[in-house]
Amino acid sequence: VQLQASGGGLVQPGGSLRLACAASRFTADYYAIGWVRQAPGKEREGVACISQSSEKTVYSDSVKGRFTISVSRDDAKDTVYLLMNNLNVEDTAVYYCAASREFSLSNNPSDYTYWGQGTQVTVSP
């Protein structure tokens, strides 16, 4: 499973960003896909996950109501998006997308087997 994350950047507090995780076609049908972030000096934190076939989603308390995870499919690939609204400085981190075949819905970073490279999100005035 190959995952390619993109979309990070610098944004002011209160702003929005949309991250994208590209995967080969049908990946999202058989794998739960999640977004995990890691801020400097802190442990990894799972923030959002979407189950196989996009039936269910789960969010961490720190992002609930502000972040939305979704899946788009075309002939060539599946793309998992993380729409982040009302960002604050505590959201600054490297964001990774990850996939799990064994777990259908999890925000525990240890449950993920496959990882993409990270994309930096910086929220600063």
Side-chain angles (χ1 to χ4, degrees):
V1 175
Q2 291 187 328
L3 306 169
Q4 182 79 25
S6 62
L10 174 64
V11 63
Q12 292 184 339
S16 298
L17 277 177
R18 190 177 73 163
L19 305 183
C21 176
S24 57
R25 187 64 179 96
F26 302 116
T27 299
D29 291 342
Y30 296 106
Y31 292 82
I33 308 292
W35 287 94
V36 177
R37 68 185 182 186
Q38 187 164 27
K42 295 188 177 181
E43 295 187 353
R44 295 179 301 175
E45 176 192 14
V47 297
C49 178
I50 189 162
S51 65
Q52 294 92 335
S53 300
S54 310
E55 293 178 349
K56 297 180 180 179
T57 59
V58 66
Y59 300 92
S60 66
D61 289 341
S62 60
V63 308
K64 196 174 297 181
R66 300 187 297 122
F67 290 12
T68 304
I69 189 170
S70 62
V71 175
S72 174
R73 297 172 173 84
D74 62 28
D75 290 342
K77 65 182 184 300
D78 294 347
T79 304
V80 179
Y81 295 103
L82 185 68
L83 176 61
M84 306 184 295
N85 293 323
N86 195 21
L87 286 161
N88 56 61
V89 294
E90 289 75 28
D91 296 316
T92 295
V94 178
Y95 285 71
Y96 301 88
C97 58
S100 173
R101 185 73 182 262
E102 292 77 20
F103 295 90
S104 61
L105 202 64
S106 174
N107 270 333
N108 183 347
S110 298
D111 289 343
Y112 292 101
T113 305
Y114 304 97
W115 293 78
Q117 91 293 355
T119 185
Q120 176 71 47
V121 172
T122 302
V123 185
S124 179

